[in-house]
Amino acid sequence: MSAVPDPAPRKPKPALIFDDPLDQQSSDDTDRGWGERPGGDGDSAADLKRFLDEKPPHHL
């Protein structure tokens, strides 16, 4: 008789969740990250740079 090694234990499959996905808050439901830039301390030079960076090309 040949010795066959026992297979490694399998990871259980993720359970199916039938909750209503609209009951959960998404990242789009918050104000975080909408137009914010890191380090925005109200510096007028930084505001001008942001304005110039975000100006549409047809306004040059």
Side-chain angles (χ1 to χ4, degrees):
M1 197 185 233
S2 65
V4 177
D6 292 332
R10 294 183 182 177
K11 292 172 57 175
K13 291 183 179 179
L16 295 176
I17 300 173
F18 292 101
D19 292 341
D20 185 7
L22 298 178
D23 287 342
Q24 301 170 3
Q25 186 177 28
S26 71
S27 61
D28 289 343
D29 293 336
T30 63
D31 290 335
R32 178 191 278 174
W34 286 93
E36 299 171 359
R37 289 194 176 206
D41 56 1
D43 183 23
S44 61
D47 290 341
L48 178 61
K49 182 178 180 335
R50 178 178 178 185
F51 172 75
L52 295 174
D53 287 345
E54 294 180 356
K55 187 169 47 169
H58 63 273
H59 286 157
L60 292 177

